[in-house]
Amino acid sequence: MDKYLVQLNDSQRDAVLCIKGPVMIIAGAGSGKTRVLVHRIVHMLHHGIDPFNILSLTFTNKAAREMKKRISLEAGDESRNLWMGTFHSVFAKLLRVEAPRLGYPSSFTIYDTDDAKNLIKDIVKDQGLDDKIYKPGLVYNRISSAKNNLYSWKEYQDNPELVNDDKTAGKPHLGLLYEIYQKRNFKSGAMDFDDLLFNTYILLRDFPDILHKYQNKFKYVLVDEFQDTNYAQYIIVKKLAAQHENICVVGDDAQSIYAFRGANIQNILSFKDDYPDLKTFKLEQNYRSTKNIVNAANSVISNNKHQLKKSVWTDNADGELIRIIKGLSDNEEGNMVANSIFEEKLQNQLHYKDIAILYRTNAQSRSMEEALRRKGIPYRIYGGVSFYARKEIKDLLSYFRLTVNPNDEEALKRVINYPKREIGKTTLDKIIVAADQENLSLWNVLEKINSIETGINAPTRARISDFVIMIKSFTAQLKTKTAFDLASHIAMSTGLLKELYADKSPEGISHYENLQELLNGIKEFTDKGTTALPAPSAELEADVTLRTLDVFLQDIALVTDGETDEKNEDTVSLMTIHSSKGLEFKYVYLVGMEENLFPSQMALQSRVELEEERRLFYVAITRAEIRLTLSYALSRYKWGNLISCEPSRFITEINPDYLDDQTAVTIRPNSFEKPRNWSDFGKHNSKPEVVVATPGPNFKKIPKPRFAAVSEGAPFEAADPNQTEVGMDVEHQKFGTGKVVTIEGNFPELKATVTFPGIGNKHLLLKYAKLRIIK
DNA sequence: GGAGGCCTCGGAAGG
DNA sequence: CGAGGCCTCC
């Protein structure tokens, strides 16, 4: 037997060996799912299957990276030719080749959710619709789910049910907004995340040659986390696999927790209906957790009606019973959890990184953070704004995007007047109107600014021409310069770097550092060809002789994970249950086990939603290897109001045999802290100075000056702006005294930069800001 | 053009 | 309560 097969149990081995025909692997939590996927691919490679013929799809870049790494350890260099990546990255690569068939440039831009929502906002405004009714997020979600269910805007508008739903909801123009949104995107040469799937589907549906090409390429198709697939993903996979039917899906219906973003659990529940010859393998032995934890999880999930039959078991020790902590307030809950972590770490010689605190909503992190900080316990919160979503990063990237695809409307709007070049909102509005009338992209209008009637005056037109010439000069260097050389050139010649360098406020400094970090990243990419995405197939391999900026952009367009995982640091992990999926920790604290919080009150309407909450609970329980602690509070603040809480029904769904109900009284905080509603002071009352500053919960805040009041009394007489000079000491009504650092512009637009001690630099327009000259 | 006041609204989240 | 969007006033 091959040595890689020896490390597998019987059912794992069966699942690995059966590489022909449709296969479904139901993988219980902690049952070695990734190991099976990895070995299955290694096995295929060892048996002469060409890596070019294997397509392996995941949901996250992280999962793809992890798998690729493990496969290359076992199978060596060959594995780099696998098509392995996220649905979006793989189909984006395909579209780079095939999208011209649909009329898109192969250099199409990928809009992230922010770009998409900004565009929708503009469209809603253009249409004269109320943005309170047509909220960008809502419109985006509606369009997104239409695409995920493979409705084009036309099909959407022709579907009586959808149209009627929208009418009933008082939003009859959603179909129209969908149409305009798609057309604007098309003109901009842009696709959003959902278009990457939708357009792939269209290509496979309408172009038989393309369908056959990829059916023959992908003789073996594997899908990870199959329970998370939406309709579009499922149909694409099915089409691709239709020729050879070597399709292997891996998943766990019990861990389906993404219905709210379009995942269709039916895909896994009824997979057998689509493939009568389906071979199903069940991985039921759990290697992760103690018996008590596994059994507790099983007792919980058995409350769900709709699920595939399986029984997860483990050979591991019984372990500790599941413990429950009760706090009077959310603050006390935090303290008790922090104390417990402190004690457990000492007693069991744990590392902080062995411990996680999981919660249902991000807002719950606050009381935990405060408690951990008080105890001096290092922690790290997962989730948050990704590096590439930061404003300063997106600004510079927008210049890059324009360089590659000048039709990119969202990028253009971001930077046409940043840094300032006196092309303001009025001008932009005129450009948008003209583009609409002439059916051109915004960029096309800019290019022809002197031959199209826009009503823009000559000086502004001249500035626009300068901008166009600048962007064109960047584009001209795209293929002759390395990504780093061009990126630095752009950062400097646009004045963006200088602009941020000039800002010496703490935020400004951090913005500048972030830009430097981006440029460092591009340098690394240029030198080493490091890409965040898995390597594409040889056919799609980019030109490796020169790493250019367009390739860099393509590489990062689909990278959304915020931070680089620094597994080395020893910190307690705080995250939502959703983001804990796929992870494991020796000790897990699941906090906020209260009705209306978990399960969320929004899920109490229907059985289907409650079952998803229960699966979420199942996911949370099964993250724990050694010890699971549940906690709840009897009261907590919600949006400024104190509410009282009841323990979650989910606690009672755990078979009491696995519960240590004594623990509710054994863990006490070091010093008894009054719950906040009893206290004579404010909510976040841990720090004495806040205690003094903040009165009780129902206290109405008295507006207090942000800065110490200066010079009361006589009416404040401002000096003549023309007399203000660099180096002068001046007094400002609000900021106090400061020194004039620079003066720019001509009267009456004189602008001064003044340094106020303890406050920092302020840019003041002298015709507005009243400055009194001191000396 | 930008900072600060005022109002609104609130789930989870990958690409 | 707090973050984010919009409007106003400087």
Side-chain angles (χ1 to χ4, degrees), chain A residues 3 43 68 171 198 320 444 582 613 741 755:
Chain A
K3 72 168 193 293
H43 179 70
K68 194 123 201 182
K171 300 178 177 71
F198 187 84
E320 309 270 2
N444 296 148
E613 292 285 300
V741 186
T755 309

PDB file of all heavy atoms in Angstrom, chain A residues 3 43 68 171 198 320 444 582 613 741 755:
ATOM      1  N   LYS A   3       2.396   4.675   0.931  1.00  0.00           N
ATOM      2  CA  LYS A   3       2.598   5.080   2.325  1.00  0.00           C
ATOM      3  C   LYS A   3       1.600   6.151   2.781  1.00  0.00           C
ATOM      4  O   LYS A   3       1.212   6.195   3.924  1.00  0.00           O
ATOM      5  CB  LYS A   3       4.033   5.567   2.543  1.00  0.00           C
ATOM      6  CG  LYS A   3       4.380   6.911   1.926  1.00  0.00           C
ATOM      7  CD  LYS A   3       5.736   7.363   2.497  1.00  0.00           C
ATOM      8  CE  LYS A   3       6.021   8.821   2.196  1.00  0.00           C
ATOM      9  NZ  LYS A   3       6.244   9.164   0.790  1.00  0.00           N
ATOM     10  N   HIS A  43      -3.222  10.994  -4.409  1.00  0.00           N
ATOM     11  CA  HIS A  43      -3.466   9.670  -4.982  1.00  0.00           C
ATOM     12  C   HIS A  43      -3.696   9.752  -6.496  1.00  0.00           C
ATOM     13  O   HIS A  43      -3.150   8.958  -7.265  1.00  0.00           O
ATOM     14  CB  HIS A  43      -4.681   9.049  -4.288  1.00  0.00           C
ATOM     15  CG  HIS A  43      -5.039   7.695  -4.808  1.00  0.00           C
ATOM     16  ND1 HIS A  43      -4.268   6.576  -4.584  1.00  0.00           N
ATOM     17  CD2 HIS A  43      -6.098   7.283  -5.563  1.00  0.00           C
ATOM     18  CE1 HIS A  43      -4.836   5.526  -5.170  1.00  0.00           C
ATOM     19  NE2 HIS A  43      -5.940   5.939  -5.769  1.00  0.00           N
ATOM     20  N   LYS A  68      -2.949  23.492  -1.028  1.00  0.00           N
ATOM     21  CA  LYS A  68      -1.875  23.498  -2.008  1.00  0.00           C
ATOM     22  C   LYS A  68      -0.531  23.176  -1.330  1.00  0.00           C
ATOM     23  O   LYS A  68       0.278  22.405  -1.843  1.00  0.00           O
ATOM     24  CB  LYS A  68      -1.804  24.891  -2.654  1.00  0.00           C
ATOM     25  CG  LYS A  68      -0.966  24.897  -3.878  1.00  0.00           C
ATOM     26  CD  LYS A  68      -1.735  25.398  -5.070  1.00  0.00           C
ATOM     27  CE  LYS A  68      -1.028  24.887  -6.301  1.00  0.00           C
ATOM     28  NZ  LYS A  68      -1.587  25.303  -7.544  1.00  0.00           N
ATOM     29  N   LYS A 171     -40.763  48.637  -3.559  1.00  0.00           N
ATOM     30  CA  LYS A 171     -39.513  48.936  -4.265  1.00  0.00           C
ATOM     31  C   LYS A 171     -39.600  48.461  -5.713  1.00  0.00           C
ATOM     32  O   LYS A 171     -38.850  47.577  -6.139  1.00  0.00           O
ATOM     33  CB  LYS A 171     -38.339  48.245  -3.557  1.00  0.00           C
ATOM     34  CG  LYS A 171     -38.160  48.703  -2.110  1.00  0.00           C
ATOM     35  CD  LYS A 171     -37.022  47.967  -1.430  1.00  0.00           C
ATOM     36  CE  LYS A 171     -36.804  48.488  -0.027  1.00  0.00           C
ATOM     37  NZ  LYS A 171     -37.887  48.115   0.906  1.00  0.00           N
ATOM     38  N   PHE A 198     -21.656  34.559 -12.576  1.00  0.00           N
ATOM     39  CA  PHE A 198     -22.736  34.669 -13.547  1.00  0.00           C
ATOM     40  C   PHE A 198     -22.200  34.621 -14.981  1.00  0.00           C
ATOM     41  O   PHE A 198     -22.708  33.890 -15.828  1.00  0.00           O
ATOM     42  CB  PHE A 198     -23.513  35.973 -13.311  1.00  0.00           C
ATOM     43  CG  PHE A 198     -24.742  36.094 -14.149  1.00  0.00           C
ATOM     44  CD1 PHE A 198     -25.926  35.504 -13.757  1.00  0.00           C
ATOM     45  CD2 PHE A 198     -24.710  36.786 -15.359  1.00  0.00           C
ATOM     46  CE1 PHE A 198     -27.073  35.605 -14.540  1.00  0.00           C
ATOM     47  CE2 PHE A 198     -25.851  36.889 -16.148  1.00  0.00           C
ATOM     48  CZ  PHE A 198     -27.025  36.298 -15.739  1.00  0.00           C
ATOM     49  N   GLU A 320     -13.375  16.620  30.219  1.00  0.00           N
ATOM     50  CA  GLU A 320     -14.135  17.370  31.220  1.00  0.00           C
ATOM     51  C   GLU A 320     -15.561  17.590  30.737  1.00  0.00           C
ATOM     52  O   GLU A 320     -15.823  17.630  29.536  1.00  0.00           O
ATOM     53  CB  GLU A 320     -13.485  18.752  31.422  1.00  0.00           C
ATOM     54  CG  GLU A 320     -12.003  18.726  31.690  1.00  0.00           C
ATOM     55  CD  GLU A 320     -11.717  18.621  33.177  1.00  0.00           C
ATOM     56  OE1 GLU A 320     -12.680  18.533  33.959  1.00  0.00           O
ATOM     57  OE2 GLU A 320     -10.527  18.626  33.534  1.00  0.00           O
ATOM     58  N   ASN A 444     -14.225  57.968 -21.762  1.00  0.00           N
ATOM     59  CA  ASN A 444     -14.399  58.376 -23.160  1.00  0.00           C
ATOM     60  C   ASN A 444     -14.749  59.851 -23.245  1.00  0.00           C
ATOM     61  O   ASN A 444     -14.269  60.562 -24.129  1.00  0.00           O
ATOM     62  CB  ASN A 444     -15.529  57.573 -23.828  1.00  0.00           C
ATOM     63  CG  ASN A 444     -15.219  56.091 -23.913  1.00  0.00           C
ATOM     64  OD1 ASN A 444     -16.108  55.258 -23.847  1.00  0.00           O
ATOM     65  ND2 ASN A 444     -13.930  55.757 -24.041  1.00  0.00           N
ATOM     66  N   GLY A 582     -13.816  25.849  10.754  1.00  0.00           N
ATOM     67  CA  GLY A 582     -12.588  25.290  10.196  1.00  0.00           C
ATOM     68  C   GLY A 582     -11.416  25.363  11.157  1.00  0.00           C
ATOM     69  O   GLY A 582     -10.386  24.747  10.913  1.00  0.00           O
ATOM     70  N   GLU A 613     -29.285  28.534  13.074  1.00  0.00           N
ATOM     71  CA  GLU A 613     -28.666  28.974  14.325  1.00  0.00           C
ATOM     72  C   GLU A 613     -28.138  27.773  15.107  1.00  0.00           C
ATOM     73  O   GLU A 613     -27.079  27.827  15.715  1.00  0.00           O
ATOM     74  CB  GLU A 613     -29.668  29.732  15.202  1.00  0.00           C
ATOM     75  CG  GLU A 613     -30.105  31.072  14.661  1.00  0.00           C
ATOM     76  CD  GLU A 613     -29.038  32.157  14.800  1.00  0.00           C
ATOM     77  OE1 GLU A 613     -28.619  32.472  15.935  1.00  0.00           O
ATOM     78  OE2 GLU A 613     -28.617  32.675  13.757  1.00  0.00           O
ATOM     79  N   VAL A 741       2.511  77.801   9.796  1.00  0.00           N
ATOM     80  CA  VAL A 741       3.585  77.036   9.166  1.00  0.00           C
ATOM     81  C   VAL A 741       3.693  77.357   7.669  1.00  0.00           C
ATOM     82  O   VAL A 741       4.775  77.556   7.137  1.00  0.00           O
ATOM     83  CB  VAL A 741       3.349  75.519   9.349  1.00  0.00           C
ATOM     84  CG1 VAL A 741       4.529  74.736   8.816  1.00  0.00           C
ATOM     85  CG2 VAL A 741       3.129  75.188  10.825  1.00  0.00           C
ATOM     86  N   THR A 755       0.105  75.188  13.310  1.00  0.00           N
ATOM     87  CA  THR A 755       0.346  74.143  14.299  1.00  0.00           C
ATOM     88  C   THR A 755      -0.116  74.625  15.667  1.00  0.00           C
ATOM     89  O   THR A 755       0.385  75.637  16.167  1.00  0.00           O
ATOM     90  CB  THR A 755       1.842  73.810  14.374  1.00  0.00           C
ATOM     91  OG1 THR A 755       2.316  73.555  13.063  1.00  0.00           O
ATOM     92  CG2 THR A 755       2.082  72.595  15.244  1.00  0.00           C
TER      93      THR A 755
END
